[in-house]
Amino acid sequence: RPLRPIRGLATAVLVLLGLDTLVGAAWAVAADPLATVAEVVGVGVVPLLSNSVFLVALTASRVLVRAGLVLVFLVWLVRARLNAESLTRVPHRWFKVLIVFGWVLPVVGWWIPKQIVDDVWAASRPGGVRGESIGRQPHSWLVWAWWIAWLLAFWVVPLSSVTLLSLAGRPPEEVGALVWFGLDPFTWVPTLLAAALLAVVVVRITRFQEARAVAGG
């Protein structure tokens, strides 16, 4: 069957990734006095945030942009997966429903989404799947790098920050605010790296599938 066009969705993902980065940078500048643990000792983070219209507006913008990014990326991934299934007779490893719900499942959510992207990459690349098992295809270092950065940005660093701040005696509401609003400076490097790598992964898979469509699959 004809491959579904995904270039428009890929472009939307890139735009939203850029907006999310800009809003995050604005947060870092606007909330700079709160950006390190040392600077917020004895200061109530939640009252400061609730009393600042600008920070509240930034918060709303960040939530809306990130929600839009998640939605558009998942739609892109669903269509890319459907295209990938059309490009090979070798079955993918996971059910389509896990394209969405695989991210939130306890423990297994740390590898299922990565394997879904791996399979889409393997089926879409020039030459397609080689052999009878899509799970045994050579894995892309690019997908690996993105996934490691994503795990660091959204799991390892936030959980470590919560633990360290809690051990330091910070009130639970301040710990939650620091992590939720991205005020922990240690999250910046893996977050920016994950965003940049995801953009490259989306572009590469999109171009793979467009080239295969032009070549007739």
Side-chain angles (χ1 to χ4, degrees):
R1 59 185 179 220
L3 299 188
R4 295 163 178 82
I6 59 174
R7 176 180 286 269
L9 288 168
T11 301
V13 170
L14 300 185
V15 170
L16 288 169
L17 280 171
L19 288 175
D20 186 62
T21 300
L22 289 175
V23 174
W27 246 113
V29 173
D32 185 64
L34 308 176
T36 63
V37 175
E39 290 173 332
V40 297
V41 171
V43 179
V45 175
V46 174
L48 282 175
L49 295 177
S50 63
N51 291 332
S52 173
V53 175
F54 181 57
L55 291 182
V56 169
L58 277 178
T59 302
S61 299
R62 194 168 202 190
V63 170
L64 290 174
V65 169
R66 189 152 288 185
L69 173 59
V70 170
L71 177 61
V72 174
F73 171 71
L74 289 177
V75 174
W76 172 87
L77 185 55
V78 168
R79 290 194 179 183
R81 163 66 179 266
L82 292 173
N83 286 344
E85 290 177 343
S86 298
L87 292 170
T88 180
R89 295 182 178 180
V90 179
H92 288 238
R93 282 177 285 181
W94 300 102
F95 296 114
K96 295 185 187 70
V97 68
L98 292 176
I99 296 174
V100 175
F101 295 106
W103 299 82
V104 296
L105 292 176
V107 183
V108 294
W110 295 346
W111 67 79
I112 284 180
K114 190 257 181 189
Q115 290 186 343
I116 289 173
V117 175
D118 275 332
D119 292 354
V120 172
W121 179 287
S124 304
R125 68 187 177 186
V129 177
R130 305 174 181 95
E132 299 300 322
S133 173
I134 200 167
R136 295 182 179 177
Q137 303 301 302
H139 297 297
S140 165
W141 68 267
L142 191 59
V143 177
W144 260 117
W146 157 66
W147 189 245
I148 291 172
W150 189 88
L151 289 177
L152 287 172
F154 292 94
W155 285 102
V156 177
V157 174
L159 290 176
S160 300
S161 298
V162 167
T163 302
L164 292 174
L165 291 171
S166 298
L167 290 175
R170 304 304 304 280
E173 65 273 12
E174 292 188 11
V175 173
L178 284 167
V179 175
W180 175 258
F181 294 120
L183 300 179
D184 179 5
F186 298 106
T187 63
W188 268 98
V189 172
T191 298
L192 292 176
L193 183 59
L197 290 169
L198 177 58
V200 179
V201 169
V202 168
V203 169
R204 292 287 295 276
I205 290 176
T206 300
R207 289 180 175 175
F208 286 162
Q209 294 191 354
E210 288 179 340
R212 296 285 296 279
V214 171

